[in-house]
Amino acid sequence: MAGRTQPLVAGVVTALVGFASSFTVVLAGLRAAGATDAQAASGLLALCVTSGLAAAWLGLRYRIPMSVAWSTPGAALLVATGPIPGGWPAAVGAFLVSGALIVAAGLFPALSRAVAAIPRPIAGAMLAGVLLPLCTAPVRALVEVPALAAPVVLTWLLLHRYARRWAVPAALAVAVVAIALTTPGTGAAGGPGFRPVFELTAPAWTVSAVVGLALPLFLVTMAAQNVPGMAVLVGYGYRPPFGAGLRATGLASLAAAPAGGHAVNLAAISAALAAGPDAHPDPDRRWIASVTAGTGLALLGLGAGVATALVALSPPVLIEAVAGLALLGALATAVSSAVAEADSREAAVVTFVVTASGVTLLGVGGAFWGLLAGWLMLLLFRRRSGGPEPASDRAAGPASG
């Protein structure tokens, strides 16, 4: 009996941890891109449902634990980019373009190989620059709302030491209690209320939104989620169909975009929960965990209205602090990747600085300019060196996020 229930329990844990650990990042990103509370709740619901359906289909079709989730780094990119010319409709148009690019990467392997060929230090530095603004939120929260933030941060620290996977969900639970105790009239809060919300937005397309948001969103989702997600599965001995995974998640992204969902991708962080031995001793039975996780995530999406109402009630910096705590591990990995190779360290630093600056030029956000600046500097220094490509670069292989 234990062998039958083990993958089901692992799937439920994967869904709960995945949702609670980063839904605050998603809501912060959608609101930063111009969504109202109702549109943000709709986007979160759409992401949960489409991610769950994609995970269930991939697991049942290939009998491989291919977990699917929303793009957490992509949501952080929305925070870093902020409002774009054309407002929320232009953001929705950018989400559609990004989803179409992911489908194209699944149809044409050359495109996915081109993304994987982005130098690892540059990709890591761009991701680090995107994540930095949110990761500083816990510090700002401790200064601005110390009575609320201190218990949240202390809870995270304690469980990060002894039960790491539950650190962010527990910190979120403490934040919920703090909000309930300090916010009068919670039942009369505005926003979408507690029922599921589904609100469609007619997309608009602008050059600045496509270049400044759609392209960086596609690159971040591919480099920081899809490629590492495949690597996790390979590390556990599976041979996942990369093209099918990209097509499924790209189509899910296209379906979620009109309702406000920014991007769906293969899970990287939570993938190990469903693909590892804790899900089941028999690798051929672990797909049950990923299908269960997908079903659970879709059901959790019904609580998107409650989650959005919670965010609307709290001081913005407190929810951003919880999101920042969830992303500290990703920031550490990105920084390590950025500075790992001495020959490209300065180019990576330039990428990081330009991206983290949050500058907007010609309506295009800092992530694009950071990637461009780092790439140009990398080419400049390699040309000035006058020699062949360093051995360390050749050995590094394709970027894995």
Side-chain angles (χ1 to χ4, degrees):
M1 181 63 68
R4 295 180 180 178
T5 60
Q6 188 174 354
L8 297 177
V9 173
V12 171
V13 171
T14 300
L16 288 173
V17 171
F19 182 89
S21 296
S22 58
F23 83 85
T24 54
V25 187
V26 172
L27 292 177
L30 297 178
R31 294 171 76 187
T36 64
D37 285 344
Q39 290 166 338
S42 174
L44 181 59
L45 171 60
L47 289 169
C48 288
V49 172
T50 55
S51 296
L53 291 175
W57 185 84
L58 288 170
L60 291 170
R61 170 67 176 81
Y62 296 101
R63 295 296 197 269
I64 292 176
M66 299 177 68
S67 299
V68 178
W70 52 63
S71 176
T72 302
L77 171 68
L78 299 182
V79 175
T81 303
I84 60 174
W88 179 243
V92 171
F95 300 163
L96 286 168
V97 173
S98 176
L101 288 173
I102 295 174
V103 173
L107 293 172
F108 306 103
L111 180 57
S112 59
R113 286 196 297 268
V115 174
I118 295 175
R120 182 177 301 182
I122 302 301
M126 181 183 69
L127 180 58
V130 165
L131 298 177
L132 182 64
L134 269 179
C135 289
T136 61
V139 180
R140 291 185 279 112
L142 285 171
V143 174
E144 297 178 21
V145 285
L148 298 178
V152 172
V153 174
L154 289 175
T155 299
W156 178 83
L157 283 171
L158 183 63
L159 288 185
H160 194 69
R161 171 64 178 83
Y162 295 105
R164 180 168 297 190
R165 73 172 59 173
W166 295 106
V168 174
L172 176 63
V174 172
V176 171
V177 173
I179 293 166
L181 292 176
T182 59
T183 304
T186 55
F194 299 124
R195 65 187 185 281
V197 177
F198 187 77
E199 184 171 316
L200 296 176
T201 299
W205 287 277
T206 65
V207 173
S208 60
V210 171
V211 175
L213 182 56
L215 184 58
L217 180 59
F218 165 68
L219 293 175
V220 165
T221 299
M222 287 290 294
Q225 294 283 141
N226 284 327
V227 174
M230 285 291 104
V232 169
L233 292 173
V234 171
Y236 282 109
Y238 296 101
R239 292 184 176 275
F242 193 27
L246 292 179
R247 291 191 295 272
T249 56
L251 289 172
S253 297
L254 288 173
H262 65 291
V264 173
N265 49 241
L266 297 168
I269 299 171
S270 60
L273 297 177
D278 289 341
H280 199 281
D282 182 1
D284 292 334
R285 300 289 292 170
R286 295 174 192 168
W287 63 269
I288 300 174
S290 67
V291 172
T292 303
T295 304
L297 184 59
L299 293 175
L300 286 170
L302 299 177
V306 177
T308 308
L310 168 68
V311 170
L313 287 169
S314 67
V317 71
L318 182 64
I319 292 300
E320 288 182 6
V322 178
L325 293 173
L327 293 172
L328 282 175
L331 177 63
T333 301
V335 170
S336 298
S337 176
V339 300
E341 301 175 16
D343 294 330
S344 53
R345 193 166 295 158
E346 289 184 343
V349 169
V350 169
T351 302
F352 170 74
V353 169
V354 175
T355 302
S357 70
V359 298
T360 298
L361 181 63
L362 302 177
V364 178
F368 173 81
W369 298 116
L371 180 65
L372 180 62
W375 220 335
L376 290 176
M377 188 168 182
L378 194 63
L379 292 174
L380 175 63
F381 271 74
R382 284 182 175 174
R383 285 188 176 184
R384 289 179 62 181
S385 66
E389 183 179 356
S392 61
D393 287 348
R394 294 196 302 271
S400 61

